[in-house]
């Protein structure tokens, strides 16, 4: 296994003590600050009902910080020796949650551990990063399509399991995180784009058909859109549309040929194959999607379509954030959250409470700390002493990054209401615990950037 | 890249590039998030703060009483009366299911309202207070208050309503109120109104709505997302709307209302004007309705009780129009008053096809001069005069006196009637103008239509010998404290009809003869000088319309009031309309030497 030493080359000059305390203090402070703000805001969101959330969230943070300390001191290279067991453990967790999990909020995504509920995808996310990074670490060449196939399948399989739960929202983070990890590991951009095309088609077609269903009445007199709406539902119209798209590509290719622009026919067949694959995926997804999931996705596209249904959350959340203005309404004084207009205010919409009560300036500080975590993740990826550490760090950074983008985008009406928590801030023990573990791994990679690899 | 497919090592340099690119990607995405935060909190902050505020507050509203209407002597034309309204809101209790609430209220509200369930649904949807039923009978109100504990969201509120207790009067002029509708809510005129507000739907209630309505009050409270009361923020007192002093004289109005109600059909209009100022002393359309308790039948009644015949109805004026024909004749020097015409009861004219057509008079008068022709309303005389004057001459004179154009600015939706000429007829697709049309026009038949108001204005203009006033009804506005806030100034005359002095004199004399020895005899009041003209207008829809238009004053004084009485399908003008006019004139101009009895 190739070992590449990165970071400071003049490591021998620094003393043992210096190195021992050479933690990534920026990351530590940003993490602690975010956790502190999170616990405080969760308490504010619970309102005058007591201290239940506060105590549970603090306990989760305390346990999580212990885990963080443990993982920061544990050499992360240990995990590389157990990639297969880690992967199998993840699959076992995800399968057993399907079999033995409890149904909470419409998804069978939780284990009942007696005193607490534990969310399977939260456990899976650490194992996912550690194992997929290990699989990717085995190849140092550029990825060929053949070489890409197995790792990609290995990555998409657990995501599929998560979708089946159905925890659609977590998969919205896992999938782009996978793409980033593959990208950093040396997969060809074009290949990744092909994967995205297939998955994208499979996701967009059912979404668009639901959207057209909701705005059906406004389509009258627009034959093109009506046809599209019908075609997206499948049937003969769907077949015609599919054949039409295929014919369009073939015609384009042929026309280019006539103009003496030679595009290898492989491109054509691969494109057509991908579209076919995506359409098949779409048909499968269309059967699997639940009604409420469709509506949530559509509410993002147009929240005014159904203000008391799916769009209500987006609207109230934006009102909450915006009404904070520059200085906020004051801690524990947000009317949107305290009077119950804000849905899921302690979990998914915690940032709406931050925006409403703390205002623009303080929200900027919170967002800044969060950005520091993501930024440090990628920096650690660059200074890591080995490829495995780099890949883990990139994966963790991408994970935090996508969680934050989706969650913040959702609270501000830029992304669908995906039900994604804001790690370290949202109420939820599993999320808090696993997120702190992830930071611990980052710290471990950072701390060991100068040490020699013993394996 | 696709075909390259080489076994090249993915170098560290490329790796670092890609990590950097990934972190730039996230930085860019974060920038978008920050911009969005800036947009929401800084750019749209005030806007969204406002929305958050209206989320959390609602008003348990209390409707302000509207201003009152008084007549010119300060007598109340209408009064507000207290009434019970049933309100529902979730503020006190939001644990009950809508079906349960419905179950409790059903026995009380079902008999008196048919849309309270929709309103209740609205209360549950919007989580705002709604008014379920207005003007609840006392027994239902007491019954409901006793149910208080069973349905804590239901409340009885005392609110003021329009009540016309002392008999129905001036209904068409004052108009009625109704709840604002969906379409009106979206209209600019009503942009500061909210669902459930009462607005004027007709008459002055509508045109003066902004003046009459008060400032609603209520309790501003903070609610949570389920609509439950959290705390009271403040109490808003209401203030009553402004009151109006109208130019109406209740006595005159009453006399006209009684007269029309007693007429053969009970349908018609009466209008009395002060000729010098244009002040409207009476404005009656019959049949009438009770604005305090509008009935569903009012909307469907064949007699159209909601239709204001005073200015929205245009009817053939019949012989009243002969005044125009005579005036045009005098102006063109076509009348020698002593010249005689023989009336055998009809004339015959050849129409375009050469066929002979008879134009009848209402009786065979024999030999008539101008005075007799006017007094006894001989059609044959005016057929000939009309032909001499010509249709354009009739048209010009009628337009001078305000026919065919809007006469008032009091209420919207006026029917200005029709004064035909050749151009008008051709544009309507009715063919070319014929002598028959002129003949018909000269006695106010055929295509000619006019509103009772226009005929009254014709009389007022005769009374002033030229200056034409616009009628007005609002004398002054009193604010909620009873202080005068505005007084309608003396209106400048709207236009001036210039006729020769001899024309005025001849018209005056002939109209006096109508009352003294002619068809209008029934309107004669012993102590007054009444000049008027009857009309019996044929119409294709049924019985003749009865008209009487007049102006009157004390002897040796300039005329003071003008009036027009119109009875739809009432029959003979002299027999029906002139009778009513007598009572109205006696009310408007009481005997001078006697004390005024209020």
């Amino acid at each position: 296994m190739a070992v590449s030493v990165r970071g400071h080359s003049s490591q021998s000059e620094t003393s043992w003590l210096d190195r021992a305390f050479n933690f990534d203090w920026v990351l530590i402070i940003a993490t602690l600050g975010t956790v502190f703000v999170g616990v405080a805001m969760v308490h504010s969101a619970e309102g005058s009902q007591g201290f239940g959330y506060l105590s549970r969230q603090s306990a989760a943070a305390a346990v999580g910080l212990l885990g963080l300390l443990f993982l920061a001191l544990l050499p992360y290279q240990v995990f590389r020796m157990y990639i297969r067991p880690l992967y199998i453990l993840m699959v076992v967790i995800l399968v057993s949650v399907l079999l033995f999990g409890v149904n909470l909020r419409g998804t069978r995504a939780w284990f009942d551990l007696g005193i607490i509920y534990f969310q399977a995808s939260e456990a899976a996310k650490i194992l996912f990063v550690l194992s997929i990074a290990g699989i990717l670490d085995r190849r140092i060449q550029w990825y060929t399509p053949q070489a890409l196939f197995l790792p990609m399948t290995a990555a998409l399989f657990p995501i599929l399991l998560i979708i089946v739960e159905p925890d659609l929202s977590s998969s919205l983070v896992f999938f782009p995180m996978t793409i980033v990890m593959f990208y950093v590991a040396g997969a060809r951009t074009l290949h990744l784009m092909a994967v995205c095309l297939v998955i994208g088609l499979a996701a967009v077609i059912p979404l668009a058909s639901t959207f057209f269903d909701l705005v059906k009445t406004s389509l009258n007199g627009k034959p093109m859109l009506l046809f599209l709406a019908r075609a997206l539902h499948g049937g003969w119209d769907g077949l015609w549309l599919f054949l039409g798209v295929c014919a369009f590509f073939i015609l384009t290719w042929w026309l280019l040929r006539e103009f003496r622009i030679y595009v290898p026919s492989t491109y054509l067949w691969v494109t057509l194959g991908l579209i076919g694959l995506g359409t098949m995926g779409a048909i499968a997804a269309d059967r699997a999607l639940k009604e409420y999931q469709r509506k949530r996705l559509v509410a993002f596209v147009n929240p005014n379509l159904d203000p008391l249904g799916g769009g209500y959350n987006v609207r109230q959340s934006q009102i909450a954030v915006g009404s904070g203005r520059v200085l906020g309404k004051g801690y524990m004084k947000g009317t949107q959250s305290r009077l119950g207009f804000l849905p899921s205010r302690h979990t998914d919409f915690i940032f709406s409470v931050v925006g409403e009560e703390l205002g623009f300036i303080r929200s900027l500080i919170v967002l800044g700390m969060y950005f520091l975590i993501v930024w440090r993740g990628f920096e650690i990826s660059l200074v890591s002493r080995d490829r495995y550490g780099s890949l883990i760090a990139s994966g963790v950074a991408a994970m935090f990054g996508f969680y934050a983008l989706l969650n913040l985008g959702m609270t501000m009406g830029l992304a669908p209401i995906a039900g994604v928590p804001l790690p370290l801030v949202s109420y939820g023990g599993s999320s808090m615990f696993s997120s702190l573990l992830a930071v611990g791994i980052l710290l471990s990679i950072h701390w060991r950037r100068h040490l020699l690899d013993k394996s | 890249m696709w075909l390259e497919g080489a076994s090249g090592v993915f170098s560290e340099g490329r790796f670092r590039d890609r990590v950097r690119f990934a972190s730039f990607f996230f930085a860019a995405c974060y920038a978008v998030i920050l911009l969005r935060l800036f947009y929401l909190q800084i750019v749209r902050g005030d806007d969204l703060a406002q929305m958050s505020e209206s989320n959390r507050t609602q008003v348990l509203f209390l409707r302000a009483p509207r201003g009152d209407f008084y007549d010119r002597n300060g007598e109340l034309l209408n009064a507000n009366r207290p009434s019970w309204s049933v309100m529902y809101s979730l503020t006190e209790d939001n644990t009950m299911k809508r079906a349960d609430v419905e179950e409790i209220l059903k026995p009380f509200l079902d008999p008196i309202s048919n849309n309270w369930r929709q309103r209740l649904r609205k209360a549950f949807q919007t989580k705002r207070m709604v008014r379920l039923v207005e003007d609840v009978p006392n027994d239902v109100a007491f019954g409901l208050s006793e149910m208080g504990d069973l349905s804590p969201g239901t409340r009885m509120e005392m609110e003021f309503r329009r009540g016309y207790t002392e008999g129905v009067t001036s209904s068409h002029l004052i108009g009625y109120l109704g709840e604002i509708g969906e379409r009106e809510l979206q209209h600019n005129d009503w942009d500061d109104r909210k669902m459930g507000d009462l607005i004027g739907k007709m008459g002055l209630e509508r045109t003066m709505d902004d003046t009459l309505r008060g400032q609603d009050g209520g309790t501003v409270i903070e609610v949570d997302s389920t609509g439950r009361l959290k705390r009271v923020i403040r109490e808003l007192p209401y203030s009553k709307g402004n009151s109006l002093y109208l130019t109406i004289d209740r006595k005159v109005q009453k006399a006209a209302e009684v007269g029309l109600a007693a007429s053969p059909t009970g349908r018609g209009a009466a209008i009395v004007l002060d000729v010098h100022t244009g002040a409207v002393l009476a404005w009656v359309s019959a049949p009438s309705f009770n604005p305090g308790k509008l009935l569903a039948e009012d909307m469907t009644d064949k007699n159209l009780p909601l239709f204001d015949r005073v200015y929205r109805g245009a009817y053939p004026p019949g012989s009243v129009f002969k005044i125009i024909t005579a005036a045009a004749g005098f102006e063109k020097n076509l009348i020698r008053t002593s010249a005689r015409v023989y009336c055998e009861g009809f004339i015959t004219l050849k129409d375009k096809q050469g066929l002979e057509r008879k134009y009848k008079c209402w009786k065979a008068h024999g030999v008539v001069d101008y005075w007799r022709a006017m007094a006894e309303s001989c059609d044959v005389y005016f057929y000939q005069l009309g032909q001499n004057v010509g249709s354009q001459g009739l048209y010009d004179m009628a337009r001078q006196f305000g026919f065919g154009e809007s006469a008032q600015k009091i209420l919207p939706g006026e029917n200005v009637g029709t004064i035909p000429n050749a151009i008008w007829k051709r544009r309507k697709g009715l063919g070319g103008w014929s002598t028959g049309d002129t003949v018909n026009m000269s006695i106010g038949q055929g295509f000619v239509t006019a509103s009772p108001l226009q005929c009254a204005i014709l009389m007022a203009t005769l009374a002033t010998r030229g200056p034409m006033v616009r009628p007005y009804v609002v004398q002054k506005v009193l604010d909620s404290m009873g202080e005068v806030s505005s007084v309608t100034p003396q209106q400048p005359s709207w236009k001036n009809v210039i006729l020769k002095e001899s024309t005025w004199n001849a018209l005056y004399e002939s109209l006096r003869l109508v009352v003294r020895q002619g068809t209008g005899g029934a309107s004669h009041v012993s102590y007054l000088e009444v000049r008027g003209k009857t009309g019996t207008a044929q119409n294709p829809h049924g019985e003749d319309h009865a008209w009487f238009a007049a102006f009157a004053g004390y002897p040796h004084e300039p005329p003071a009031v003008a009036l027009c009485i119109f009875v739809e399908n009432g029959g003979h003008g002299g027999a029906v309309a002139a009778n009513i006019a007598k009572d109205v004139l006696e009310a408007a101009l009481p005997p001078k030497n006697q004390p005024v009895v209020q």
Side-chain angles (χ1 to χ4, degrees):
Chain A
M1 189 80 24
V3 169
S4 50
V5 177
R6 300 199 184 86
H8 310 280
S9 49
S10 58
Q11 40 155 309
S12 52
E13 307 299 322
T14 52
S15 73
W16 177 85
L17 202 67
D18 277 350
R19 275 185 273 135
F21 282 91
N22 200 354
F23 285 121
D24 191 341
W25 290 108
V26 176
L27 179 59
I28 291 173
I29 289 167
T31 306
L32 290 177
T34 311
V35 169
F36 174 74
V37 171
V39 171
M41 293 324 290
V42 164
H43 180 52
S44 168
E46 95 185 296
S48 50
Q49 285 149 16
F51 298 89
Y53 289 167
L54 177 68
S55 49
R56 264 174 282 167
Q57 187 75 343
S58 313
V63 175
L65 285 172
L66 282 180
L68 175 142
L69 198 61
F70 174 72
L71 280 189
L73 299 177
L74 185 78
Y76 63 92
Q77 288 94 341
V78 174
F79 297 120
R80 190 160 52 182
M81 294 187 284
Y82 304 110
I83 283 163
R84 201 163 298 173
L86 286 173
Y87 186 83
I88 290 169
L89 177 63
M90 168 177 66
V91 171
V92 166
I93 287 178
L94 289 176
V95 171
S96 58
V97 81
L98 282 175
L99 299 177
F100 313 116
V102 260
N103 226 324
L104 279 185
R105 291 198 280 170
T107 61
R108 188 174 271 270
W110 307 75
F111 284 113
D112 185 357
L113 299 184
I115 45 167
I116 51 163
Y117 291 104
F118 199 86
Q119 201 177 356
S121 55
E122 292 297 336
K125 73 185 181 193
I126 303 281
L127 297 173
F128 185 86
V129 173
L130 291 177
S131 55
I132 299 300
I135 293 170
L136 292 173
D137 185 37
R138 294 197 179 135
R139 185 182 178 88
I140 58 164
Q141 284 99 348
W142 287 95
Y143 275 87
T144 59
Q146 297 90 322
L148 191 65
F149 182 74
L150 268 182
M152 190 52 94
T153 312
L156 290 182
F157 177 60
I159 296 179
L160 188 69
L161 287 177
I162 292 173
I163 292 177
V164 173
E165 281 179 13
D167 190 352
L168 201 69
S169 22
S170 296
S171 61
L172 279 177
V173 174
F174 274 66
F175 180 69
M177 179 173 87
T178 308
I179 297 294
V180 169
M181 288 178 76
F182 274 73
Y183 175 72
V184 166
R188 296 287 185 189
T189 315
L190 209 57
H191 300 174
L192 291 177
M193 279 162 70
V195 173
C196 289
L197 175 68
V198 172
I199 306 284
L201 273 178
V204 164
I205 290 176
L207 173 60
S209 76
T210 312
F211 179 72
F212 280 130
D213 274 354
L214 287 182
V215 296
K216 205 176 260 165
T217 46
S218 63
L219 292 182
N220 287 335
K222 295 167 191 164
M224 287 293 284
L225 283 178
L226 266 176
F227 172 75
L228 195 61
R230 266 181 292 134
L232 290 171
H233 275 291
W236 285 108
D237 288 319
L239 186 67
W240 291 125
L241 181 67
F242 176 76
L243 291 179
V245 170
C246 290
F248 170 77
F249 277 104
I250 295 172
L251 200 71
T252 314
W253 177 79
W254 177 78
L255 266 178
L256 286 174
R257 231 181 140 72
E258 290 297 297
F259 286 111
R260 304 266 185 274
I261 301 168
Y262 292 100
V263 180
S265 60
T266 336
Y267 278 101
L268 179 65
W269 303 127
V270 168
T271 309
L272 294 184
L274 290 174
I275 291 173
L277 217 58
T279 311
M280 266 147 63
I283 293 167
D286 198 45
R287 302 238 162 114
L289 265 180
K290 295 227 166 71
E291 197 53 36
Y292 77 96
Q293 290 167 326
R294 294 167 188 270
K295 282 199 173 148
R296 275 203 212 158
L297 286 169
V298 170
F300 158 64
V301 186
N302 189 354
N304 296 328
L305 217 58
D306 182 15
L308 277 174
Y312 177 79
N313 297 358
V314 189
R315 235 178 95 77
Q316 294 302 336
S317 169
Q318 292 183 61
I319 291 176
V321 172
S323 64
R325 289 186 276 191
V326 182
L327 295 175
K329 293 177 184 167
Y331 182 59
M332 302 274 251
K333 284 182 187 150
T335 55
Q336 283 286 102
S337 70
R338 297 182 75 77
L339 296 173
F341 294 100
L342 207 53
S344 315
R345 57 185 177 280
H346 55 289
T347 55
D348 298 344
F349 286 96
I350 190 73
F351 187 76
S352 313
V353 185
V354 174
E356 185 185 21
E357 298 192 347
L358 303 187
F360 183 66
I361 294 170
R362 275 163 281 203
S363 297
L364 273 189
I365 296 173
V366 176
L367 285 186
M369 290 196 295
Y370 220 92
F371 182 66
L372 277 184
I373 296 176
V374 178
W375 175 66
R376 286 312 303 168
F378 282 113
E379 285 302 305
I380 289 169
S381 176
L382 289 175
V383 301
S384 163
R385 49 172 290 110
D386 56 12
R387 246 172 82 83
Y388 183 53
S390 287
L391 290 171
I392 294 175
S394 297
V396 170
M399 181 184 80
F400 276 110
F402 281 120
Y403 265 116
L405 283 184
L406 267 180
N407 180 280
L408 298 172
M410 162 181 86
T411 55
M412 296 184 218
L414 289 177
I417 300 285
V420 172
L422 188 59
L424 302 176
V425 183
S426 286
Y427 175 76
S430 339
S431 168
M432 174 67 90
F433 183 67
S434 62
S435 303
L436 283 173
L437 290 190
V439 176
I441 295 170
L442 282 185
L443 287 172
S444 171
I445 298 167
H446 181 265
W447 196 42
R448 286 178 174 72
R449 66 194 185 280
H450 305 307
L451 300 182
L452 283 175
D453 190 355
K454 302 284 190 326
S455 59
Chain B
M1 279 207 296
W2 184 281
L3 291 182
E4 190 181 298
S7 58
V9 169
F10 180 62
S11 67
E12 193 187 321
R14 296 303 294 268
F15 166 81
R16 297 178 75 88
D17 287 349
R18 287 192 158 195
V19 173
R20 289 251 177 252
F21 179 78
S23 66
F24 285 144
F25 167 77
F26 279 105
C29 290
Y30 259 71
V32 173
I33 295 281
L34 290 185
L35 280 177
R36 180 70 178 181
L37 188 70
F38 180 83
Y39 171 73
L40 285 179
Q41 295 197 305
I42 310 297
V43 180
R44 289 201 57 206
D46 293 340
D47 198 12
L48 291 170
Q50 184 63 47
M51 287 163 88
S52 138
E53 191 65 14
S54 62
N55 257 347
R56 100 185 157 99
T57 55
Q58 59 164 281
V59 184
L60 302 179
F61 42 82
L62 209 56
R63 188 183 279 161
R66 286 170 80 89
D68 299 321
F69 287 97
Y70 296 92
D71 86 341
R72 58 166 47 218
N73 302 314
E75 278 190 70
L76 217 48
L77 288 175
N78 81 324
N80 287 319
R81 68 181 162 86
S83 79
W84 291 107
S85 295
V86 186
M87 310 289 199
Y88 191 87
S89 73
L90 298 167
T91 49
E92 303 298 327
D93 171 76
N94 53 25
T95 54
M96 281 186 86
K97 292 247 171 23
R98 183 161 61 84
D100 298 335
V101 178
E102 245 176 45
E103 201 58 38
I104 293 173
L105 298 181
K106 198 165 65 178
F108 297 99
L109 301 186
D110 266 352
I112 53 173
S113 159
N114 45 24
N115 62 353
W116 66 275
R117 284 162 205 268
Q118 292 159 23
R119 287 157 190 253
L120 187 67
R121 191 171 305 133
K122 193 144 241 154
F124 275 84
Q125 270 168 9
T126 61
K127 305 187 173 82
R128 306 262 142 169
M129 182 166 94
V130 297
R131 195 181 273 105
L132 289 181
V133 190
E134 285 184 52
D135 200 14
V136 178
N138 278 346
D139 54 327
V140 175
F142 292 135
L144 270 171
S145 349
E146 281 170 17
M147 300 293 284
D149 295 341
L150 287 177
S151 170
T154 315
R155 284 218 316 258
M156 306 301 304
E157 288 283 355
M158 179 78 88
E159 288 186 312
F160 289 96
R161 290 185 62 76
R162 282 298 195 222
Y164 298 80
T165 45
E166 305 232 346
V168 179
T169 188
S170 319
S171 301
H172 291 88
L173 180 61
I174 290 177
Y176 63 91
L177 300 174
E179 199 160 298
I180 190 163
E182 296 279 354
R183 286 236 298 284
E184 286 155 324
L185 268 176
Q186 280 151 23
H187 197 271
N188 284 344
D189 286 358
W190 314 104
D191 54 359
D192 54 344
R193 311 306 165 87
K194 60 180 185 302
M195 209 69 190
D197 276 1
L198 285 183
I199 57 166
K201 297 272 186 179
M202 180 187 162
L204 292 173
E205 293 274 28
R206 174 170 185 166
T207 55
M208 306 285 287
D209 192 79
D210 277 329
T211 313
L212 288 164
R213 78 186 179 116
Q215 182 75 45
D216 286 351
T219 311
V220 184
I221 58 169
E222 184 175 273
V223 293
D224 65 12
S225 63
T226 63
R228 205 185 180 98
L229 171 73
K230 285 297 185 187
R231 67 190 173 91
V232 173
I233 298 174
R234 64 179 177 281
E235 300 274 352
L236 290 174
Y238 66 70
S239 61
K240 188 179 171 172
N242 297 325
S243 297
L244 298 184
Y245 265 67
L246 303 186
T247 57
I248 298 291
D249 186 326
R250 201 168 190 281
K251 290 194 307 294
V252 183
Q253 175 84 15
K254 204 74 201 168
E257 282 174 2
V258 169
L260 280 176
S263 70
T265 57
R267 283 180 278 125
I271 175 126
V272 183
L273 301 174
D274 178 324
V275 297
H276 302 296
T277 61
V280 176
L281 298 177
W283 177 298
V284 184
S285 177
S288 190
F289 60 97
N290 183 349
K293 224 173 186 67
L294 212 58
L295 304 170
E297 298 94 88
D298 289 341
M299 305 287 177
T300 52
D301 193 335
K302 281 203 311 291
N303 291 328
L304 305 176
L306 293 179
F307 183 65
D308 192 340
R309 291 169 166 82
V310 170
Y311 76 108
R312 302 190 68 169
Y315 310 90
S319 304
V320 174
F321 199 76
K322 285 174 184 163
I323 298 169
I324 299 293
T325 313
F330 281 118
E331 284 300 293
K332 296 195 168 194
N333 295 321
L334 294 171
I335 301 179
R336 271 196 304 122
T337 52
S338 55
R340 295 178 181 196
V341 166
Y342 181 72
C343 168
E344 55 176 336
F346 60 88
I347 61 165
T348 35
L349 287 175
K350 281 205 171 82
D351 68 5
K352 294 234 170 78
Q353 280 82 38
L355 297 170
E356 295 211 327
R357 284 199 57 184
K358 261 187 185 171
Y359 291 83
K360 285 186 188 160
C361 186
W362 62 282
K363 74 175 193 188
H365 288 87
V367 177
V368 290
D369 61 3
Y370 166 73
W371 308 111
R372 242 194 101 197
M374 197 67 154
E376 294 182 13
S377 203
C378 175
D379 292 347
V380 169
Y381 183 92
F382 284 92
Y383 289 153
Q384 302 211 334
L385 178 57
Q387 288 181 66
N388 293 342
V389 171
S391 71
Q392 194 57 41
L394 294 175
Y395 177 87
D396 291 342
M397 185 55 70
R399 292 304 298 255
Q400 264 208 70
F401 276 97
F403 286 101
E405 70 181 289
S406 174
Q408 51 93 35
K409 289 180 168 164
I410 302 167
L411 298 173
E414 180 170 3
N415 188 338
V416 299
T418 308
I419 300 300
N421 62 6
I423 299 166
W424 174 89
K425 195 182 175 193
R426 202 172 307 118
R427 196 180 296 144
K428 280 276 174 183
L430 297 168
W433 191 264
S434 67
T435 319
D437 291 328
T438 312
V439 165
N440 272 332
M441 188 174 174
S442 61
I443 60 157
Q445 296 278 175
F447 303 117
V448 183
T449 58
S451 67
L453 181 62
Q454 285 171 332
C455 293
I457 289 172
L458 163 70
M459 285 302 171
T461 312
L462 288 169
T464 54
R465 291 183 176 237
M468 192 181 262
V469 285
R470 266 199 198 282
Y472 74 98
V473 290
V474 179
Q475 201 175 45
K476 55 187 176 184
V477 179
L478 265 61
D479 66 18
S480 57
M481 307 304 291
E483 305 289 326
V484 176
S485 75
S486 75
V487 177
T488 309
Q490 170 76 42
Q491 302 288 306
S493 58
W494 159 34
K495 52 186 180 182
N496 202 357
V497 180
I498 296 166
L499 302 181
K500 289 186 290 200
E501 198 57 29
S502 60
T503 308
W504 292 119
N505 291 337
L507 288 173
Y508 265 50
E509 179 57 19
S510 59
L511 293 177
R512 193 182 69 86
L513 288 173
V514 169
V515 175
R516 283 300 169 94
Q517 31 183 279
T519 51
S523 70
H524 176 64
V525 180
S526 57
Y527 60 89
L528 292 178
E529 193 67 79
V530 183
R531 299 178 173 90
K533 181 77 194 79
T534 57
T536 307
Q538 294 169 10
N539 76 97
H541 307 296
E543 284 289 308
D544 295 349
H545 297 315
W547 289 89
F548 185 71
F551 58 95
Y554 296 105
H556 316 297
E557 277 182 29
V561 299
L563 61 80
C564 174
I565 309 287
F566 165 76
V567 182
E568 196 175 329
N569 308 125
H572 202 275
V576 176
N579 246 334
I580 301 170
K582 179 172 190 280
D583 297 341
V584 173
L585 285 173
E586 281 174 351
L589 301 170
K592 261 199 166 170
N593 45 3
Q594 287 172 15
V596 177
V597 182
Q598 288 282 335

